[in-house]
C-alpha cells in the first residue's frame, strides 16, 4: 500500500478519519444524507487518496459526481480517476473493489444525473452555479 496523503481541506480529512476510523459506523453523512469514501491513487504522487462523495447508488453500482460544490474547475480527483480508474468504495461497513468510467453518453448521463439529484438535491444548484458540465462517473464492481 502506498502512503496515504489526507485531503488538505480540514473538514474533508476529518470526515475521512471518522468514517474510516470507525469502520464505517460514524461520520457517514453530510447534511443528513449518506456519504461513501472513494480510495484512489494520485496521478502524480502515486499516493493513496481518500475522497468522500455523496452516496448515489444504481443497483450494485455507484454514481460519482465531480461537482466540487459548483466550483468553476473540476476537482483534482477527477483527473486522478481518469488516469487510474481502479478504486475501492466504502459504503458504511462494506468495502468493494470497483472500476470507474466517465459517462459520456447523453442519455445514460441524463438518467444518472436524475438519480444523483434525487439522492442529493443540491447537485442541481451546483450545476446552475457553474459553466462547466459537471462530470459523472459510474463505478462498477470489478
Ligand atoms: N465533492 C464532490 O465533488 N462531489 C461530492 O459529491 C462530494 C461529497 C462530499 C461529501 C462529504 C465530504 O466530506 C466531502 C464531499 N466532497 C464532494 C468534497 C470532496 O471530498 C473533495 O474534497 C472535493 O471534491 C475537492 O476535491 P479535490 O481533489 O479537488 O481536492 C483538493 C482540495 C485536493 O485534495 N487537492 C490536493 C492538494 O494537495 O492540493 C491534490 C491532491 C491530489 O490528488 N494530488 C494528485 C497526486 O498525484 O497525489 C496530483 C493531482 C494533479 O493532477 O496534480
Amino acid at each position: 500500500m502506498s502512503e496515504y496523503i489526507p485531503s488538505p481541506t480540514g473538514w474533508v480529512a476529518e470526515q475521512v478519519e471518522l468514517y474510516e476510523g470507525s469502520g464505517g459506523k460514524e461520520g457517514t453523512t453530510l447534511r443528513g444524507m449518506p456519504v461513501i469514501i472513494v480510495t484512489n491513487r494520485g496521478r502524480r504522487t502515486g499516493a493513496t487518496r481518500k475522497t468522500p462523495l455523496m452516496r448515489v447508488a444504481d443497483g450494485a453500482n455507484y454514481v460519482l459526481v465531480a461537482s466540487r460544490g459548483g466550483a468553476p474547475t473540476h476537482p483534482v480527483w477527477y483527473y486522478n480517476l481518469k488516469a487510474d480508474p481502479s478504486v475501492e468504495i466504502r459504503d458504511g461497513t462494506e468495502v468493494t473493489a470497483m472500476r470507474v468510467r466517465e459517462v459520456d453518453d447523453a442519455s445514460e448521463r441524463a438518467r444518472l444525473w436524475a438519480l444523483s439529484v434525487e439522492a442529493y438535491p443540491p447537485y442541481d444548484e451546483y450545476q446552475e452555479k457553474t459553466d462547466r458540465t459537471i462530470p459523472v462517473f459510474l463505478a462498477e464492481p470489478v
Side-chain angles (χ1 to χ4, degrees):
M1 242 308 243
S2 56
E3 182 199 359
Y4 162 56
I5 307 182
S7 169
T9 307
W11 66 273
V12 174
E14 280 163 26
Q15 175 141 38
V16 172
E17 202 174 300
L18 187 59
Y19 201 133
E20 297 254 306
S22 65
K25 297 208 164 94
E26 288 173 55
T28 60
T29 60
L30 181 76
R31 300 184 180 184
M33 286 170 270
V35 169
I36 58 171
I37 306 279
V38 179
T39 300
N40 64 282
R41 198 165 299 286
R43 66 169 176 164
R44 293 184 213 276
T45 57
T48 299
R49 300 282 183 182
K50 290 184 183 282
T51 307
L53 297 176
M54 301 319 295
R55 178 186 186 278
V56 183
D58 181 29
N61 302 334
Y62 293 93
V63 186
L64 313 183
V65 181
S67 56
R68 208 184 147 207
T73 56
H74 296 340
V76 175
W77 63 263
Y78 167 84
Y79 300 99
N80 291 332
L81 295 195
K82 292 296 278 185
D84 183 350
S86 294
V87 302
E88 249 179 29
I89 292 189
R90 174 182 281 282
D91 181 0
T93 57
E94 296 282 318
V95 180
T96 311
M98 297 200 144
R99 177 170 288 270
V100 304
R101 63 176 170 87
E102 186 174 4
V103 177
D104 297 317
D105 178 77
S107 65
E108 186 183 23
R109 189 188 175 283
R111 183 181 77 80
L112 298 176
W113 181 259
L115 212 57
S116 302
V117 172
E118 201 178 302
Y120 189 66
Y123 281 144
D124 239 356
E125 295 154 34
Y126 298 167
Q127 182 59 85
E128 275 171 31
K129 251 170 76 175
T130 182
D131 291 335
R132 68 189 172 96
T133 301
I134 292 177
V136 167
F137 291 93
L138 190 67
E140 296 163 297
V142 174

